[in-house]
Amino acid sequence: MARFKRLHEYVATECGEFKADVLSSNQDELVEYEIKVSKSDLRREIYKPKHTMYTDPKSRRYWVPNRFYFCVPENLVEAAIELIEENKWNKYGIA
């Protein structure tokens, strides 16, 4: 649904340097979605180098999403919010 509201013309799965679960794009923005199904899966995100690149302008290479969302089941929403806040990932959200 978000693809149509944001007029994203392109959607791809398992793509990019970091194998994003889903990327969607139009001419103005690039959005990455990571699908997480367990708390341990969610916590492993801390160790992925892409988050340093996404949040630190000095370390950026290639493309960087304008927005990043964790797609989680309802029982992981609190854990996802905590992870985002702990790491000060300001442009991150939950879908």
Side-chain angles (χ1 to χ4, degrees), residues 2 14 20 24 26 35 37 69 71 77 84:
E14 294 297 326
S24 68
N26 61 22
I35 300 165
V37 296
Y69 292 101
C71 298
V77 169
I84 291 167

Side-chain angles (χ1 to χ4, degrees), residues 51-87:
H51 299 295
T52 300
M53 188 172 88
Y54 291 177
T55 56
D56 181 5
K58 296 176 192 168
S59 66
R60 289 185 179 167
R61 303 175 298 186
Y62 311 116
W63 56 267
V64 174
N66 302 88
R67 287 183 279 156
F68 182 99
Y69 292 101
F70 287 113
C71 298
V72 298
E74 197 170 323
N75 65 319
L76 290 180
V77 169
E78 291 273 332
I81 290 169
E82 287 175 19
L83 182 71
I84 291 167
E85 290 175 351
E86 285 171 12
N87 291 284

Side-chain angles (χ1 to χ4, degrees), residues 7 14-15 25 28 34 43 64-66 80-81 93:
L7 302 174
E14 294 297 326
C15 65
S25 175
D28 298 321
E34 274 295 322
R43 298 299 295 176
V64 174
N66 302 88
I81 290 169

Side-chain angles (χ1 to χ4, degrees), residues 1-48:
M1 186 63 89
R3 173 182 179 223
F4 299 107
K5 286 182 183 178
R6 295 189 177 116
L7 302 174
H8 284 190
E9 300 163 346
Y10 310 102
V11 176
T13 60
E14 294 297 326
C15 65
E17 181 180 358
F18 298 109
K19 302 289 184 225
D21 289 338
V22 178
L23 284 176
S24 68
S25 175
N26 61 22
Q27 291 186 10
D28 298 321
E29 68 178 352
L30 178 66
V31 180
E32 180 174 343
Y33 303 88
E34 274 295 322
I35 300 165
K36 300 297 169 191
V37 296
S38 70
K39 196 169 187 174
S40 61
D41 188 21
L42 185 61
R43 298 299 295 176
R44 280 193 296 271
E45 280 296 309
I46 296 169
Y47 305 106
K48 292 185 179 179

